[in-house]
Amino acid sequence: MVSIAARAVVPAKPGAELSTARLRKIGKALAAPTISIALALAAWYAVSMLVLSEGRRFLLPPPHVVFTESLADPKKLEVMGEALAVTARVALTGLLISAVLGVAIAVLMSQAKPIENVVYPYAVVLQAIPVLAVVPLIGLWLGYGFAARTTVCVLIAIHPIIAMTLFGIKSVDANLRELFTLGRAGRLRRLWSLQLPAALPSTLTGLRTAAGLSVTGAIIGDMFFAQGKPGIGTLLDTYRARLQSEDLIGALLLAALFGVLVFTVFTLIQKVSVGRWHDSAH
């Protein structure tokens, strides 16, 4: 009896407690997405099986039909995967260009008020004009290949990076500004050692937003600029014209998963970069 009682009061190992806490944390993090996906599938089945008649069910096939007739078909999945790789290349190239140009433009505007007064209205106009209205001009100027598709991504994705980086630079603590002034820090030293590090959380937030927009821009570019290898947007347009609902929804799901993956990667980058000292990463 004594030995049994002694065993009962032996504390658990710290490593076991830590692993249990991590499992609970992971479980809580996965609970909400799992429930959300289950509800979405239930709603999908309800509309497909209960709302639509059998003759109109091709408009929204049930999830299992989409999987068996489209995503589970190796040949169709290979075609979609190749198209998605083309779209990914366009989206990532456009995002990289947007990041470089966006940060550079924001830095220039932050250093001289006249430059901000001249440049920022164009950034706002660029965001306000529907990209679809500019697409014909882009095709005339740049052709209908990779360059045109990338330009669409840049036009859509660059504004959040400019706006958030400029906001971050302007939001530097006044006391820190005065400290650098007392230290007689030059413009370049102030920018490199104070303003850019302080603006990093805002810049990463802009990049995270721009990442999703860049994927959208790549798909739009695929739909309108059909030269070269077809992207996922080209397939979407083809499946729509042929009324291939299963393939259309399957391609949409793959495009959505890629968008979520890109957004998640930049969220992780933000957590690793500023998660220990800034609330925006939590």
Side-chain angles (χ1 to χ4, degrees):
M1 293 296 292
V2 175
S3 60
I4 296 176
R7 291 177 183 177
V9 296
V10 172
K13 294 182 179 179
E17 293 181 357
L18 186 60
S19 61
T20 303
R22 286 180 179 176
L23 289 175
R24 289 178 180 175
K25 187 176 181 180
I26 294 173
K28 289 180 180 180
L30 294 178
T34 302
I35 294 173
S36 177
I37 293 173
L39 291 175
L41 289 175
W44 184 352
Y45 268 112
V47 173
S48 181
M49 305 300 291
L50 301 178
V51 177
L52 296 176
S53 62
E54 188 173 353
R56 300 177 67 240
R57 197 164 293 161
F58 71 94
L59 296 173
L60 184 64
H64 68 276
V65 175
V66 172
F67 179 77
T68 55
E69 297 296 328
S70 179
L71 295 177
D73 188 328
K75 292 183 178 180
K76 291 182 178 180
L77 190 60
E78 181 181 1
V79 172
M80 293 180 190
E82 292 176 353
L84 186 60
V86 174
T87 301
R89 179 167 168 250
V90 173
L92 295 178
T93 303
L95 182 61
L96 178 61
I97 296 173
S98 299
V100 174
L101 288 180
V103 172
I105 292 171
V107 168
L108 286 176
M109 288 194 295
S110 69
Q111 300 305 303
K113 192 67 176 178
I115 296 179
E116 181 182 353
N117 293 336
V118 171
V119 175
Y120 198 70
Y122 289 99
V124 175
V125 169
L126 194 65
Q127 180 72 8
I129 294 178
V131 175
L132 295 181
V134 188
V135 163
L137 284 176
I138 296 174
L140 289 175
W141 294 340
L142 301 176
Y144 297 88
F146 181 81
R149 298 182 190 184
T150 304
T151 301
V152 173
C153 293
V154 174
L155 291 178
I156 292 180
I158 195 171
H159 184 268
I161 300 174
I162 295 175
M164 294 304 297
T165 302
L166 183 61
F167 169 77
I169 292 176
K170 286 187 170 184
S171 300
V172 175
D173 187 87
N175 294 326
L176 293 177
R177 291 179 184 270
E178 292 180 3
L179 182 63
F180 272 71
T181 301
L182 291 173
R184 297 181 180 181
R187 185 184 294 271
L188 185 59
R189 172 72 181 280
R190 185 189 300 265
L191 174 66
W192 184 256
S193 300
L194 174 62
Q195 293 174 322
L196 287 180
L200 183 60
S202 297
T203 301
L204 290 174
T205 299
L207 277 171
R208 187 170 61 173
T209 304
L213 294 175
S214 183
V215 176
T216 302
I219 294 175
I220 292 175
D222 290 340
M223 290 181 172
F224 284 90
F225 305 124
Q227 287 185 3
K229 293 184 179 180
I232 199 72
T234 310
L235 287 186
L236 290 173
D237 200 38
T238 302
Y239 293 151
R240 175 197 59 80
R242 296 176 181 176
L243 295 179
Q244 295 176 241
S245 300
E246 295 87 356
D247 297 329
L248 177 61
I249 296 174
L252 276 173
L253 291 175
L254 288 180
L257 286 175
F258 174 67
V260 171
L261 176 62
V262 173
F263 183 84
T264 303
V265 168
F266 277 89
T267 300
L268 293 175
I269 291 174
Q270 186 175 15
K271 287 184 176 181
V272 171
S273 302
V274 301
R276 295 182 179 180
W277 57 273
H278 199 274
D279 291 338
S280 65
H282 297 287

